[in-house]
Amino acid sequence: MYRRLDAERLPHHVAIIMDGNGRWAGKRSLKRFFGHQQGAEAVQYVVETASRIGLPWLTLYAFSLENNLKRPKAEVNFLMRLLKSYLTNNVQRMNDNNVRIQYVGRTEELPDEVRERMQWAAEATKRNTGTTLTLALNYGGRSELVDAFRRLAAEVQRKGLRLDQVSEVDIHRHLYTAHMPDPDLLIRTSGEMRVSNFLLWQIAYTEIYVTDRLWPDFRGIHMLEAIEDYQRRERRYGGLNDGTESDDVESLPASQLAV
Ligand code: IPE
Ligand code: IPE
Ligand code: MG
């Protein structure tokens, strides 16, 4: 274990926005495709580090719904080819590392041969009990919420439920991630200070870590640095820190309470 990590306070779930492949290539006067290729290489290093430290959940934003809609067809096709070859070439290593793979997103809209390979990889690794690697593919946070609300509305109708009984738990139950804990830590590479429609519901209280390092240069050690930073944070979930004495408002003179 990386010596600076507190083994008692590891996150349960780390999510990563893998950004910067195009910029990595641009800095070398290469086509964006080379950046994606190097980015795919970087994935397995990080997955294996997650497995080594016993991280239960690692979720990687690999391809957004907006990427699918807004990028040139040639780039989208290349990303699909890369995904297929990543799966083909890495299932054995996932098995060696006890890693199980699954997916979130509107994956039914992906090309058939990609979906077949995805199913094959999920099937081949489903008995592994270490890290669960979740790839977000054709994923959008808002469309996940639309899908969840549609399913919830159907359930409300079918069961004749009262609307004032619908709670956060019911929304959570219909998310793609219903069986997963929310991320404790969200890492974004290449410096952009935005969420880009990733896990909008789930990151309500997630700690965010942004690094300028471009995704193809990101390795396991950099995830460990992010986790180390996370371990220095104090999570309050809207409450007070442990040990903070609550002010006794009742005993203050009215003059000190003017607002
Ligand atoms: C991230 O790299 C990978 C995908 C979104 C598929 P980008 O392709 O967004 O790279 P930049 O942001 O243009 O550098
Ligand atoms: C987010 O990166 C999506 C993925 C990493 C798959 P983008 O490059 O698509 O995000 P924006 O366009 O900079 O917000
Ligand atoms: Mg980008």
Side-chain angles (χ1 to χ4, degrees), residues 85-246:
S85 68
Y86 170 78
L87 295 173
T88 306
N89 298 332
N90 286 287
V91 156
Q92 183 59 52
R93 285 173 69 173
M94 287 181 213
N95 281 333
D96 293 343
N97 288 279
N98 199 17
V99 171
R100 173 172 77 119
I101 191 167
Q102 61 170 21
Y103 316 96
V104 291
R106 288 195 177 157
T107 54
E108 66 281 3
E109 292 169 5
L110 296 174
D112 285 347
E113 77 274 10
V114 174
R115 286 170 44 216
E116 278 159 26
R117 197 73 58 96
M118 286 164 58
Q119 267 163 21
W120 165 78
E123 184 63 32
T125 61
K126 73 176 182 197
R127 282 181 196 84
N128 294 333
T129 55
T131 301
T132 298
L133 167 64
T134 306
L135 295 186
L137 294 168
N138 203 31
Y139 174 89
R142 288 185 170 179
S143 64
E144 175 180 27
L145 290 171
V146 170
D147 291 347
F149 295 162
R150 283 180 184 159
R151 285 199 291 262
L152 178 57
E155 183 185 50
V156 165
Q157 260 177 357
R158 193 173 63 246
K159 296 186 179 167
L161 300 177
R162 280 184 23 209
L163 286 186
D164 61 359
Q165 289 178 331
V166 173
S167 67
E168 289 186 11
V169 174
D170 296 304
I171 293 173
H172 177 261
R173 273 196 300 116
H174 290 92
L175 297 174
Y176 307 147
T177 56
H179 59 295
M180 298 164 64
D182 288 343
D184 300 296
L185 172 63
L186 173 66
I187 299 171
R188 182 167 186 144
T189 59
S190 43
E192 233 75 72
M193 295 287 182
R194 55 177 174 258
V195 185
S196 300
N197 204 16
F198 193 38
L199 301 176
L200 296 181
W201 175 277
Q202 296 88 337
I203 60 172
Y205 275 104
T206 298
E207 296 294 328
I208 298 178
Y209 179 94
V210 177
T211 169
D212 285 335
R213 189 174 290 278
L214 305 174
W215 175 255
D217 292 328
F218 195 86
R219 294 290 177 272
I221 184 76
H222 305 118
M223 181 173 69
L224 299 180
E225 283 168 8
I227 294 176
E228 192 190 340
D229 188 275
Y230 161 86
Q231 291 190 329
R232 287 195 294 267
R233 314 264 183 104
E234 182 184 21
R235 303 183 74 183
R236 291 202 283 271
Y237 302 95
L240 302 176
N241 14 344
D242 287 348
T244 301
E245 291 209 13
S246 183

Side-chain angles (χ1 to χ4, degrees), residues 20-36 214 216:
N21 294 351
R23 275 162 281 176
W24 186 93
K27 277 187 10 190
R28 291 162 177 77
S29 308
L30 298 169
K31 298 241 185 267
R32 296 176 57 78
F33 297 73
F34 287 98
H36 292 315
L214 305 174

Side-chain angles (χ1 to χ4, degrees), residues 65-94:
L65 204 81
E66 288 74 18
N67 294 151
N68 197 5
L69 295 173
K70 296 181 182 171
R71 298 210 179 182
K73 260 269 117 353
E75 180 165 343
V76 170
N77 290 342
F78 185 79
L79 288 168
M80 292 299 109
R81 269 177 46 202
L82 210 50
L83 171 60
K84 277 196 298 185
S85 68
Y86 170 78
L87 295 173
T88 306
N89 298 332
N90 286 287
V91 156
Q92 183 59 52
R93 285 173 69 173
M94 287 181 213

